[in-house]
Amino acid sequence: MILRPRLPHEQELAFKLGSRSAAQLDVSWTPDSESEPQGGFSMNLGRKASGIIRHTADLPNGPYRFDIVVTRIQVSGESETTQADPPTTSYVRRVMLEGVPTIIHLP
């Protein structure tokens, strides 16, 4: 048995946003072996972004915790308090990166 260090390589991450449009996506990731985030990104999606948002990161394979904040597009003419959903929602997802495209579902 040969032990090799966990070397980073390109991981394709796909964030599936569901049916509601988003304006901003903020993501940080923490390997299960660590207690603090080891990386992340913020992406301004514009006014018409929805569907699947893709991002590539150089990370070793293994289990991770993803902390995700999605800022939704506010409906014109409605205040934040009258909308059915808050404009900003936080999610935590546990993900196993394996060197293949990884889809992370967000409602």
Side-chain angles (χ1 to χ4, degrees):
M1 180 171 155
I2 298 174
L3 296 177
R4 297 183 184 170
R6 295 178 4 150
L7 298 175
H9 56 91
E10 192 171 273
Q11 303 276 0
E12 182 181 335
L13 308 170
F15 298 88
K16 189 170 183 179
L17 298 174
S19 62
R20 297 176 295 168
S21 295
Q24 176 84 22
L25 183 66
D26 298 298
V27 178
S28 65
W29 50 79
T30 306
D32 275 3
S33 61
E34 302 290 333
S35 60
E36 295 294 323
Q38 301 298 302
F41 69 94
S42 291
M43 188 180 293
N44 185 344
L45 305 174
R47 301 272 316 153
K48 298 185 180 194
S50 62
I52 297 178
I53 306 303
R54 297 183 189 283
H55 182 79
T56 303
D58 287 329
L59 299 167
N61 287 349
Y64 288 81
R65 172 189 162 128
F66 279 75
D67 293 285
I68 305 159
V69 177
V70 178
T71 303
R72 303 286 179 184
I73 295 174
Q74 189 168 338
V75 177
S76 297
E78 286 188 343
S79 71
E80 290 181 20
T81 57
T82 61
Q83 291 188 36
D85 298 313
T88 301
T89 308
S90 298
Y91 303 95
V92 174
R93 296 290 185 264
R94 296 261 178 214
V95 176
M96 176 65 76
L97 297 182
E98 299 175 322
V100 297
T102 302
I103 298 174
I104 300 170
H105 293 271
L106 305 170

